[in-house]
Amino acid sequence: MLDDLDLFVAIVDARSLSAAAGRLRMPAPTLTRRLQALEARLGCKLLSRSARRLAPTNEGWQYYERCKPLLAALRQETASLDGTLNRVEGVVRLLAPLSMANDMLVPVWASLLREHPRLRLELKLSNSLDDLYSGMADLALRVGEQSDVSLRQRRLGEVRTILTASPAYLAAHLAAHRLLLAEPFERWKLRRRDGGEEAAWPAEPGLLANDMLLTRRLAEGGAGIAVSPLSICHRQLADGRLVRVLEEWEIATRPVYAVWPERRALPARVRAVLDALLEFSEDLPQLRG
């Protein structure tokens, strides 16, 4: 319908069917047919045509005077929206796990803010997807397989989970050990890397928390053995604050995804964040299984 309104305004402005057809790059018979269809839908004649002249009828003038400013405003809004959608500016609301966003991904946030000064990041460090479903967030990072078909997804890599402790703790505890657990590792099994054999850890946890950074810090301080993703303990392993326990055993790797609603096209500002995450994770050792 909007195309036909635009067509009618173009005819009146050109004062000729043939001139309007030339401007619109449309065959004159097609233009005439669409004009007749518009008149049939409206139930009135819009143009008075003769061999020598073409002029709007009274109804045609009224229709023209109402439609032309509306079409001009629509073009202006469309151009403005197109510019906004294709510029990396505005707010991007992102959901991400606390431990990952507050450690491994800090360079991504810094790079985005440095390279896109008109971009504003709102990070909600949570494992909940409620805001994504309700439209209050643009993008989410999630660990584990994502089975929800209403979400689109891009795989960033996978996380290895290992047992770590401080050298001082291991020197002092040769037999009985204290296990430090954080969600979602309340229930887990060790798997032997070279053969796939599985075994359950026999000890009950001395601590259960909902923040993996806390259990890692406690392990650094000598409080026990922490179950930690490599993504949040790689620096501590490299500088000797932590060492691996039972190095030939580990917990099964878990994939990491960026997800967003299937129904939503990604504007440039969200695409910039997604591209930065994909580029950063491509060669990151902590996300290689």
Side-chain angles (χ1 to χ4, degrees), residues 33-65:
R33 187 164 57 250
R34 288 179 57 180
L35 174 62
Q36 290 171 344
L38 176 62
E39 290 176 327
R41 282 198 300 273
L42 296 173
C44 64
K45 197 170 184 63
L46 297 175
L47 294 173
S48 175
R49 297 181 289 278
S50 69
R52 302 179 64 181
R53 63 188 299 271
L54 178 149
T57 62
N58 288 336
E59 292 85 357
W61 275 119
Q62 292 179 42
Y63 199 56
Y64 172 84
E65 289 172 353

Side-chain angles (χ1 to χ4, degrees), residues 105 107-113 115-116 119 121 139 141 156 268-282:
L105 296 178
V108 179
W109 317 138
S111 173
L112 283 166
L113 294 174
E115 295 177 13
H116 303 289
L119 180 69
L121 293 175
L139 196 66
L141 298 182
L156 299 179
R269 64 184 186 278
V270 181
R271 172 57 64 181
V273 175
L274 177 60
D275 288 345
L277 287 165
L278 290 168
E279 182 179 356
F280 180 75
S281 63
E282 187 173 355

Side-chain angles (χ1 to χ4, degrees), residues 2-254:
L2 283 175
D3 287 344
D4 289 336
L5 299 185
D6 201 23
L7 176 146
F8 169 66
V9 169
I11 294 171
V12 176
D13 286 342
R15 301 182 181 181
S16 162
L17 282 171
S18 59
R23 289 183 187 177
L24 297 170
R25 298 181 181 180
M26 180 183 298
T30 302
L31 186 67
T32 301
R33 187 164 57 250
R34 288 179 57 180
L35 174 62
Q36 290 171 344
L38 176 62
E39 290 176 327
R41 282 198 300 273
L42 296 173
C44 64
K45 197 170 184 63
L46 297 175
L47 294 173
S48 175
R49 297 181 289 278
S50 69
R52 302 179 64 181
R53 63 188 299 271
L54 178 149
T57 62
N58 288 336
E59 292 85 357
W61 275 119
Q62 292 179 42
Y63 199 56
Y64 172 84
E65 289 172 353
R66 291 181 182 179
C67 289
K68 185 168 184 177
L70 291 174
L71 289 170
L74 181 61
R75 285 195 189 94
Q76 185 175 357
E77 287 298 319
T78 301
S80 174
L81 179 61
D82 183 63
T84 299
L85 290 175
N86 289 289
R87 287 195 298 265
V88 182
E89 63 178 48
V91 179
V92 175
R93 298 176 177 87
L94 180 81
L95 309 176
L98 172 64
S99 56
M100 187 176 291
N102 201 28
D103 188 274
M104 181 182 72
L105 296 178
V106 169
V108 179
W109 317 138
S111 173
L112 283 166
L113 294 174
R114 183 174 60 252
E115 295 177 13
H116 303 289
R118 298 178 68 88
L119 180 69
R120 195 174 94 214
L121 293 175
E122 290 187 2
L123 302 179
K124 184 173 182 180
L125 307 187
S126 163
N127 286 316
S128 171
L129 284 172
D130 291 345
D131 284 356
L132 195 63
Y133 293 127
S134 66
M136 297 299 292
D138 302 295
L139 196 66
L141 298 182
R142 289 295 170 261
V143 179
E145 294 296 344
Q146 304 298 307
S147 58
D148 191 334
V149 296
S150 69
L151 298 177
R152 298 188 66 184
Q153 58 183 254
R154 288 289 302 272
R155 186 183 175 106
L156 299 179
E158 57 186 7
V159 173
R160 292 168 57 196
T161 303
I162 58 178
L163 300 175
T164 63
S166 70
Y169 171 84
L170 292 177
H173 297 78
L174 299 178
H177 290 289
R178 184 184 299 114
L179 191 64
L180 310 172
L181 289 183
E183 296 173 357
F185 295 108
E186 301 96 320
R187 289 179 289 276
W188 50 280
K189 287 184 178 181
L190 286 170
R191 185 180 63 183
R192 195 175 186 90
R193 296 181 66 185
D194 57 3
E197 177 189 353
E198 290 189 342
W201 183 273
E204 289 294 321
L207 175 88
L208 179 61
N210 64 348
D211 179 5
M212 285 184 281
L213 290 176
L214 174 61
T215 54
R216 188 206 70 194
R217 291 188 180 110
L218 286 169
E220 289 179 67
I225 297 175
V227 176
S228 294
L230 187 60
S231 57
I232 67 168
C233 66
H234 59 99
R235 294 187 187 90
Q236 291 72 22
L237 290 171
D239 63 23
R241 281 177 285 169
L242 291 174
V243 295
R244 288 194 63 171
V245 177
L246 298 177
E247 192 165 348
E248 68 275 18
W249 296 81
E250 64 184 17
I251 298 171
T253 59
R254 304 172 72 214

